[in-house]
Amino acid sequence: MKTWDDERFFKYTRMSQMAFNRLISYIKPQITKQPRSDGITPKERLIITLQYLSQGTSMQGLAWNFHVGLTTVHQIVLN
C-alpha cells in the first residue's frame, strides 16, 4: 500500500490517499485493538473494510488477500 500511486489506491479503496489519511486519523482510536494485538494495523483494518464495502469482495477473498483468518475478517468488517 505504501508504494501505490494515487490512481491505484483509489481503484482499490474508492477514496484518495488524502481522504483515507484524514479518515484514519478520526477513527484510529476506535479500531485499534486494545486487549491484545493481532498484528493488524488500524490502516489495514480500514483497507479491509473499504475493500469489502466498495468492491463487494467476499470475506473469504479478503482473508486470502490479506493473509488473515476468515473469522478475523468477519470481526473487522462487522464490528
Side-chain angles (χ1 to χ4, degrees):
M1 289 184 326
K2 293 178 182 177
T3 60
W4 289 358
D5 61 17
D6 289 331
E7 184 178 340
R8 184 173 177 197
F9 189 88
F10 185 83
K11 284 181 182 178
Y12 198 75
T13 63
R14 298 291 186 232
M15 135 180 322
S16 69
Q17 290 189 45
M18 190 169 95
F20 177 85
N21 288 330
R22 189 174 313 130
L23 179 59
I24 196 71
S25 71
Y26 291 133
I27 67 170
K28 188 175 182 178
Q30 287 80 23
I31 63 174
T32 301
K33 195 85 164 152
Q34 295 298 327
R36 64 178 181 132
S37 176
D38 56 10
I40 302 171
T41 68
K43 286 185 177 184
E44 289 171 324
R45 291 174 182 280
L46 181 55
I47 290 284
I48 289 170
T49 303
L50 289 173
Q51 182 69 28
Y52 177 78
L53 295 172
S54 69
Q55 303 293 323
T57 305
S58 71
M59 290 195 188
Q60 183 63 65
L62 290 168
W64 289 332
N65 289 343
F66 286 90
H67 306 283
V68 296
L70 181 58
T71 302
T72 303
V73 172
H74 276 271
Q75 290 174 346
I76 290 169
V77 171
L78 300 176
N79 291 327

